[in-house]
């Protein structure tokens, strides 16, 4: 079997990366649109550092701060218009996965004014290349800094769906863990669970070999050790922050080649219908996933256990951190939610050990 590894993002790692390596931004243009959510970019200090870097390089900027969690296509389209009107030559996205994913979509809308918002899913059919994107991450979760993926929410259906492809890569990602220090406890837990899910979901796909397997073998024990300590302390020791952030980037490199497995599309149902944060929503299906890995992928499962704990303990640590308050899904509801997979099951079902069917997914949704 052959597999590709392609990750062209220029990543700058370490504390003060933005201000020390500001010159890289000059290559992207002389004016940009900064894209953020309401608060994270400010609270983390990343916005202030970005403005300092832009001023130092004489790069002009406008700001769009209207990106919410699980970004709506309509906000991205609106910000794309703002980028075009203000003459932005690149997009500077600052935030967690939401602001970063939105930035990738905004870059498309900026150069394609004739696009209807939903046309982004058909971007491969003749769109103009997007504006370049630079990203500054402020959560230790999605790894969007290094993935060719943007997850958007359709305003009309409320359904989350990914836009993918080589033109979704950022040009530059500033990976400075200090911006995650201001992340509150609940968001830290959810994003850490997301990063860990990327690591184990990707690890159990067939594509996880060679160099990508090394990334998985690096971040699985690191992220698990952090989660285990958080579960024990019920707080986040500051010494874990850098490890969580770098772990999330390694895990992003894993899903960038391997993709995610069935917990991700199942998790979308909990986010869309019950507002459960992304990482917690995906981790809710970790038990089902690991049980199937033990049966259908025994060799890798032994290695996973060697890197973590016995499987009951791993499941206990995860379930201790997952809060599904307010979620109740009857078999009838599960049938309605799973109708979205009737025409075609997602690729992540097929790449999961044992290849999940729609019927099996429906049974896992009963909570
Ligand atoms: P997020 O939605 O970006 O942020 C969660 C919350 O944390 C927001 O309320 C945000 O506030 C706040 N926040 C962010 N950084 C902060 C900081 N340093 N200090 C204080 N508050 C901060 O969460 P996320 O888990 O990183 O991203 C989730 C999204 O990414 C989902 O849509 C998911 O589907 C997607 N995703 C993408 C990929 C990919 O490869 N592209 C992979 C997995 C998941 P503000 O909004 O007010 O700033
Ligand atoms: Fe995820």
């Amino acid at each position: 079997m052959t597999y590709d590894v392609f990750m062209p993002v220029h990543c700058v790692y370490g504390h003060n990366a933005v201000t020390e390596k500001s010159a890289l931004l000059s290559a992207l243009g002389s004016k940009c649109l900064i894209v953020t959510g309401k608060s994270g970019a400010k609270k983390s200090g990343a916005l202030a550092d970005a403005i300092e870097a832009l001023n130092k390089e004489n790069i002009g900027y406008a700001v769009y701060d209207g990106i919410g969690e699980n970004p709506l296509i309509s906000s991205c389209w609106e910000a794309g218009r703002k980028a075009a009107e203000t003459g932005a030559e690149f997009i500077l996205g600052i935030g967690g996965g939401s602001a970063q994913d939105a930035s990738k979509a905004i870059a498309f809308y900026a150069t394609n004014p004739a696009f209807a918002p939903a046309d982004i899913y058909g971007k491969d059919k003749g769109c103009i290349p997007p504006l370049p994107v630079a990203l500054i991450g402020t959560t230790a979760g999605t790894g969007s800094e290094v993935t060719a993926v943007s997850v958007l929410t359709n305003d009309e259906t409320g359904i989350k769906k990914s836009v993918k492809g080589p033109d979704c890569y950022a040009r530059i990602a500033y990976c400075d863990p200090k911006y995650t220090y201001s992340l509150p406890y609940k968001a830290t837990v959810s994003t850490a669970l997301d990063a860990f899910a990327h690591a184990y979901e990707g690890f159990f796909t067939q594509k996880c070999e060679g160099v990508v397997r090394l990334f998985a073998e690096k971040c699985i024990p690191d992220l698990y050790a952090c989660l285990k300590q958080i579960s024990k302390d019920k707080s986040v020791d500051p010494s874990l922050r850098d490890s969580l952030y770098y772990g999330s980037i390694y895990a992003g490199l894993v899903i960038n080649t391997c993709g995610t497995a069935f917990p991700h599309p199942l998790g979308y149902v909990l986010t869309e219908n019950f507002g459960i944060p992304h990482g917690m929503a995906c981790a809710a299906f970790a038990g089902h996933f690991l049980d199937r890995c033990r049966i259908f992928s025994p060799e890798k499962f032994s290695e996973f256990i060697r890197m973590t704990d016995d499987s009951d303990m791993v499941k206990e640590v995860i379930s201790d951190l997952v809060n599904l308050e307010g979620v109740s899904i009857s078999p009838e509801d599960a049938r309605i939610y799973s109708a979205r997979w009737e025409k075609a099951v997602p690729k992540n079902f097929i790449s999961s050990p044992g290849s999940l069917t729609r019927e099996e997914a429906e049974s896992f949704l009963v909570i």
Side-chain angles (χ1 to χ4, degrees), residues 36-41 43-44 67-71 95-99 101 104 138-139 141-144 147 149-151 160 179-184 187 191 194 198 255 264 268 278-279:
T36 71
K38 274 281 162 277
S39 64
K43 283 184 191 157
S44 62
I67 301 301
E69 291 183 33
N70 309 297
S98 296
D101 285 4
K104 298 173 187 180
T138 67
T139 63
T142 69
S144 183
T147 70
V149 176
S150 163
V151 187
K160 291 178 68 163
Y179 300 132
T180 65
Y181 295 0
S182 56
L183 200 60
T191 50
D194 188 29
H198 295 166
I255 52 165
H264 263 71
Y268 289 173
H278 171 70

Side-chain angles (χ1 to χ4, degrees), residues 8 27-28 40 49 53 65 76 91 99 109 112 124 134 137 168 171 178 187 194 224 293 327 331-332 335 342:
L28 303 186
D49 282 357
D65 64 2
C76 299
I91 306 294
Y109 290 125
N112 291 276
D124 295 335
C168 287
R171 293 280 185 86
K178 78 171 183 233
D194 188 29
Y224 179 68
C293 293
V327 178
E332 291 70 35
R335 197 161 311 128
E342 220 148 48

Side-chain angles (χ1 to χ4, degrees), residues 97-226:
S98 296
Q100 293 184 59
D101 285 4
S103 298
K104 298 173 187 180
I106 291 164
F108 276 99
Y109 290 125
T111 52
N112 291 276
F115 256 33
D119 285 352
I120 194 147
Y121 290 108
K123 69 176 173 55
D124 295 335
K125 294 182 202 116
C127 82
I128 296 164
L131 291 182
V133 173
L135 296 174
I136 305 175
T138 67
T139 63
T142 69
S144 183
E145 291 90 331
V146 294
T147 70
V149 176
S150 163
V151 187
L152 304 175
T153 301
N154 182 314
D155 295 64
E156 274 139 46
T157 60
I159 286 183
K160 291 178 68 163
K161 197 173 153 195
S162 301
V163 179
K164 294 179 186 149
D167 44 9
C168 287
Y169 280 115
R171 293 280 185 86
I172 302 166
Y174 290 102
C175 304
D176 181 343
K178 78 171 183 233
Y179 300 132
T180 65
Y181 295 0
S182 56
L183 200 60
Y185 176 76
K186 189 178 169 196
T188 303
V189 169
S190 181
T191 50
L193 286 167
D194 188 29
F196 190 44
H198 295 166
Y200 60 73
E201 289 180 33
F203 176 68
F204 281 104
T205 66
Q206 283 195 348
K207 286 184 181 169
C208 196
E209 290 304 336
V211 68
V212 184
R213 188 159 172 162
L214 290 178
F215 293 147
E217 288 168 351
K218 164 74 183 139
C219 63
I220 286 173
D222 287 359
L223 289 167
Y224 179 68
C226 291

